[in-house]
Amino acid sequence: MPQITYREAIRHALAEELTRDPNVVVMGEEVAQFNGAYKVTDGLLATFGPTRIVDTPISEAGFIGLGVGASMLGIRPVMELMFWSFYSVAFDQILNNAANVRYMSGGQINCPIVIRGPANGGTNVGATHSHTPENVLANHPGVKVVVPATAYDAKGLLKSAIRDNDPVFFLENTILYGDKGEVPEAEYVIPLGKADIKRVGADLTIVTYGRCVIHSLKAAEVLEKDHGISVEVVDLRTIRPLDFDTVLASVKKTNRVLIVEEQKPFASVGTQLAYMIQREAFDDLDGPIHRLATIDAPAIYSPPVETEQLPNPGRVIKAVLAAMA
Amino acid sequence: MSKKPSAIADIKAESAVKATDYALAPINAALSSTQRIELYRTMIRIRRFEERSLRAYQGKNPSGGTNIGGFLHLYIGQEAVAVGCCSLMGKNDHVITAYRDHGHAIAVGMDTKPLMAELYGKITGCSKGKGGSMHYFAPDKNFWGGHGIVGGQIPLGTGLAYALKYQGKKGAAMAFMGDGAVNQGAVHEAYNLASLWNLPVVFVIENNGYSMGTSQARSSAGQLAKRAEGYNMTWGQCDGHDVYEVRALMDKHLTLAREQSRPSTVEIDTYRYRGHSVADPDNTYRTKTEIEEYRNKKDPIQVSLHKLLAEGVLTETLADQIDAEARAEAESAAEFADASPYPTPDDIQKDVYWESDHPAQRKSEGRLFFD
């Protein structure tokens, strides 16, 4: 099976869906002539032309809102946010208009839009560019939120997202763009809302998603080798809809759980997970639910310190050892 | 309004007819008598519908609760704008507006029964009681809302135009906003995109002089529509009390959109007699004298009635009959709303996701809802 990067996997998903459905349009800042600020859309303009691959001004509220309006008439816009951090200037369009229009119209109007782009810290770009808004987004009924960790998942999930009739927010990671993984050449899709057990284990379940999956897998190897601890890693892949059954089955098997997330701790995705786990698996737990998150401050610039502010394999190992103590 | 149910009684001696007679504009000269009467009828249907909704809002229902909750932003005084603009719609023309949306909804042809039921929060409402006064929608009538956040609908309207162009359809989007919306960033972003990409949209500023309780002089620098020049868009301005004048101006701008795929902005001067919403005490920022001036001299329904009588298109008897029918329709809508059931708690989580409403076709897995 060929190895391709996470970036290429997303590009292939876009190209395949652009080919499959003439209503799909890719739109965003620098997606066309510049070939993508992070080169995700590299070459798409040459293949699909300027009607399908559209450069926008730096005008997120304008172009995201335009995409929402176009989607109401049957266009399937795939909008790139150069950083998900820029969602704040389009908040009204994303979370008032896209999220609510179906409901407020009594189900008469659909909004099949995808908004995608990177949402992560760890690149020393300071607090304004390092937001991870999956909890904020998922707080809005009507939307779907996807955070893929691998090339394989990114491709299969993005294809499902583009075919979905509800608004889907797809959160990528600039640090993962260069990571290679096995991706089949034959077409496949991965349904939204299906978690994936990335590593089977017996002693403790790590529930995680996004780049923290990679950290957790690295930590799990060390924990197995140096400490004899067998860690199961559950990758949620999609935040909403949420495959809680897979989480529950794993927790019931290992009886210990650590949530790892690149979120600020207060009212994070992990907070919701912890509530659900205690509610539905209280008697299966051998100890309190643990959680490792980003250290609670705006993203620090200082490069070596930012690494420590975020979850990383070393912090995951410590958190697992604390949970097992 | 008038004490007896006669439209004729509403006519004031000083009702103004402008020197420039827009009735002679080709788009109006071509109207049949029936079509002229229909414009009038639609305006008076909007007026009577809203007067009836106001009574429902202020009254108590038999169980002691309110018939209509939340906000009720009345369009009374502005009817010629929505009616004039929407009367020009072809099959590929689309409308989107803000929260003062009752007039547009009726003007695009929505049935007043589900409109009233929506105000009452009933399941028979046009949005099943989920949207309320500010959130009417009728995609089958090319009407895309009904939006609550000032200016937030303007990028959406631009997107409707984008879709028309992408799909190769010859049509136009009309994106309505109030005068207060011109100071919102989203409006300017939409202006830029529309002009940059040659999108067939007409931005319609309904200038009633007040952004909520702040007058134009205290909120906006310069002529509102002229801001279009900064985006290389043409613009126009007209008196919105005369439905013929509205149609004459809008026809030009819609033609520009449909034929040349160019956006433009129009500013239509109008006036609302009621507060920003019914909850607005309306005594802090303008005088009763000012309101009476508009009522007496520029009321769009009176202006229209006066012209139709002068044209010999309408008789007093027919005018009274139309008014009586409009009042009866409003009453019948209120009765329908009153008799309709509320949604149930089971309805709360319907219409959230397409997928949860179509379980047989659902492709995703996992939990969509949480408790």
Side-chain angles (χ1 to χ4, degrees):
Chain A
M1 208 182 295
Q3 293 249 338
I4 64 169
T5 63
Y6 183 101
R7 171 189 290 113
E8 289 166 327
I10 295 168
R11 185 188 306 144
H12 292 179
L14 291 171
E16 287 177 19
E17 294 306 298
L18 281 157
T19 303
R20 186 187 61 81
D21 183 351
N23 284 313
V24 174
V25 179
V26 170
M27 200 179 274
E29 294 155 11
E30 310 293 2
V31 297
Q33 275 196 31
F34 196 83
N35 283 313
Y38 284 98
K39 304 301 169 204
V40 170
T41 55
D42 193 11
L44 294 183
L45 174 65
T47 309
F48 295 98
T51 308
R52 310 288 305 283
I53 314 296
V54 184
D55 276 328
T56 68
I58 299 173
S59 184
E60 287 85 2
F63 76 76
I64 298 277
L66 180 148
V68 173
S71 77
M72 301 191 308
L73 275 182
I75 308 293
R76 288 186 174 262
V78 183
M79 319 297 285
E80 178 172 306
L81 280 174
M82 193 183 295
F83 293 87
W84 259 102
S85 287
F86 303 161
Y87 85 125
S88 55
V89 293
F91 202 94
D92 184 48
Q93 299 303 326
I94 296 171
L95 293 170
N96 254 328
N97 289 342
N100 289 337
V101 72
R102 176 173 172 80
Y103 196 69
M104 293 199 307
S105 66
Q108 295 181 85
I109 297 172
N110 297 318
C111 180
I113 193 172
V114 174
I115 304 175
R116 51 154 291 270
N120 57 282
T123 55
N124 323 130
V125 289
T128 56
H129 286 57
S130 303
H131 290 285
T132 53
E134 57 271 19
N135 56 332
V136 178
L137 300 170
N139 188 248
H140 293 75
V143 314
K144 295 172 180 172
V145 181
V146 183
V147 191
T150 67
Y152 176 83
D153 290 346
K155 183 178 178 189
L157 289 165
L158 183 55
K159 285 170 68 76
S160 286
I162 294 170
R163 298 175 189 191
D164 202 284
N165 288 331
D166 295 309
V168 183
F169 304 149
F170 197 87
L171 281 63
E172 301 160 11
N173 191 307
T174 52
I175 297 172
L176 297 179
Y177 278 144
D179 282 11
K180 283 193 169 178
E182 287 192 340
V183 175
E185 285 184 67
E187 184 176 38
Y188 68 97
V189 293
I190 300 171
L192 307 187
K194 196 165 162 38
D196 183 42
I197 297 173
K198 287 285 197 288
R199 180 188 175 99
V200 176
D203 299 329
L204 175 141
T205 297
I206 290 180
V207 184
T208 186
Y209 59 91
R211 185 171 168 234
C212 287
V213 172
I214 312 302
H215 296 322
S216 299
L217 289 172
K218 284 180 184 160
E221 278 185 35
V222 176
L223 286 159
E224 181 94 67
K225 187 158 62 80
D226 296 353
H227 302 276
I229 299 171
S230 168
V231 171
E232 180 145 303
V233 178
V234 176
D235 176 5
L236 295 175
R237 301 197 291 195
T238 302
I239 307 303
R240 189 171 187 155
L242 180 68
D243 178 3
F244 192 65
D245 292 348
T246 297
V247 173
L248 206 55
S250 179
V251 171
K252 288 187 178 199
K253 182 178 80 173
T254 65
N255 311 113
R256 289 184 189 274
V257 59
L258 168 70
I259 297 160
V260 182
E261 58 183 351
E262 190 182 319
Q263 286 253 278
K264 301 302 187 320
F266 193 97
S268 69
V269 169
T271 310
Q272 173 67 18
L273 289 167
Y275 164 74
M276 294 172 75
I277 292 167
Q278 67 79 31
R279 184 76 182 80
E280 298 190 35
F282 189 76
D283 292 334
D284 296 292
L285 291 170
D286 286 346
I289 299 162
H290 288 247
R291 186 262 302 271
L292 174 67
T294 299
I295 294 173
D296 199 15
I300 193 168
Y301 158 68
S302 180
V305 186
E306 192 189 10
T307 306
E308 287 309 308
Q309 185 178 9
L310 301 180
N312 57 47
R315 290 186 67 208
V316 175
I317 290 166
K318 277 187 203 159
V320 170
L321 293 176
M324 293 301 293
Chain B
M1 302 292 293
S2 65
K3 285 185 178 125
K4 66 171 188 142
S6 163
I8 301 304
D10 285 347
I11 299 182
K12 303 293 190 292
E14 62 267 339
S15 274
V17 180
K18 288 183 72 81
T20 317
D21 195 344
Y22 289 92
L24 300 176
I27 190 74
N28 294 322
L31 288 169
S32 69
S33 297
T34 308
Q35 289 170 321
R36 285 161 201 260
I37 291 169
E38 283 312 303
L39 293 173
Y40 173 76
R41 185 194 302 277
T42 307
M43 287 194 286
I44 207 155
R45 285 176 57 232
I46 294 169
R47 177 76 55 96
R48 299 308 179 216
F49 173 87
E50 289 205 302
E51 289 171 346
R52 185 64 189 82
S53 75
L54 177 60
R55 288 205 297 283
Y57 188 89
Q58 292 170 332
K60 298 280 181 208
N61 66 24
S63 56
T66 53
N67 281 314
I68 300 177
F71 298 129
L72 188 70
H73 303 92
L74 297 178
Y75 198 61
I76 294 176
Q78 303 189 200
E79 294 90 343
V81 182
V83 171
C85 293
C86 296
S87 68
L88 298 164
M89 284 173 73
K91 74 176 166 72
N92 287 328
D93 296 330
H94 295 263
V95 168
I96 191 164
T97 188
Y99 42 81
R100 198 178 303 285
D101 60 350
H102 308 161
H104 307 79
I106 295 173
V108 300
M110 288 179 77
D111 181 359
T112 50
K113 282 191 173 73
L115 293 179
M116 191 70 85
E118 186 63 28
L119 300 181
Y120 279 58
K122 299 300 181 74
I123 191 74
T124 54
C126 56
S127 296
K128 302 182 189 168
K130 292 178 171 176
S133 164
M134 301 189 285
H135 308 116
Y136 284 174
F137 294 86
D140 61 321
K141 308 269 188 222
N142 292 1
F143 179 59
W144 302 94
H147 292 267
I149 304 297
V150 172
Q153 77 282 9
I154 302 302
L156 269 56
T158 309
L160 295 171
Y162 175 87
L164 284 173
K165 184 169 181 172
Y166 186 86
Q167 293 163 345
K169 289 177 180 160
K170 196 172 180 177
M174 286 186 265
F176 290 87
M177 68 191 107
D179 45 294
V182 301
N183 299 316
Q184 285 279 36
V187 171
H188 289 264
E189 294 193 25
Y191 278 8
N192 181 55
L193 286 164
S195 187
L196 192 67
W197 292 352
N198 294 311
L199 300 181
V201 54
V202 184
F203 300 107
V204 185
I205 303 165
E206 298 192 59
N207 186 354
N208 65 24
Y210 296 91
S211 54
M212 197 166 163
T214 303
S215 67
Q216 186 184 335
R218 294 200 299 128
S219 62
S220 300
Q223 170 137 22
L224 307 185
K226 197 178 178 192
R227 295 181 186 186
E229 287 179 10
Y231 299 96
N232 197 27
M233 277 192 293
T234 185
W235 60 278
Q237 187 265 338
C238 77
D239 182 337
H241 302 93
D242 175 358
V243 71
Y244 289 151
E245 185 168 344
V246 171
R247 280 171 49 88
L249 179 69
M250 275 306 285
D251 179 53
K252 289 183 195 164
H253 288 263
L254 285 169
T255 302
L256 181 69
R258 294 182 196 120
E259 301 298 329
Q260 295 177 51
S261 197
R262 278 298 297 166
S264 61
T265 299
V266 299
E267 179 178 344
I268 304 182
D269 294 331
T270 183
Y271 197 79
R272 61 169 157 78
Y273 303 157
R274 297 285 170 176
H276 166 73
S277 78
V278 173
D280 166 8
D282 198 19
N283 56 12
T284 57
Y285 58 88
R286 59 181 184 177
T287 62
K288 288 213 165 11
T289 315
E290 178 184 294
I291 300 170
E292 284 311 307
E293 275 280 301
Y294 275 95
R295 255 195 229 280
N296 292 339
K297 294 186 179 166
K298 302 205 108 184
D299 182 81
I301 293 175
Q302 292 179 33
V303 168
S304 175
L305 178 59
H306 193 100
K307 287 193 176 185
L308 293 175
L309 290 171
E311 286 173 356
V313 167
L314 203 56
T315 62
E316 291 188 14
T317 313
L318 184 54
D320 279 348
Q321 186 190 325
I322 289 170
D323 189 35
E325 285 167 1
R327 287 170 189 274
E329 180 188 352
E331 196 54 42
S332 160
E335 283 165 15
F336 171 80
D338 199 38
S340 292
Y342 287 106
T344 68
D346 288 343
D347 292 311
I348 293 173
Q349 289 187 321
K350 292 176 185 162
D351 306 310
V352 179
Y353 291 96
W354 181 89
E355 273 204 323
S356 51
D357 294 334
H358 299 82
Q361 296 161 72
R362 183 176 173 188
K363 294 208 169 65
S364 79
E365 301 176 16
R367 299 188 191 182
L368 281 165
F369 295 97
F370 299 84
D371 51 27

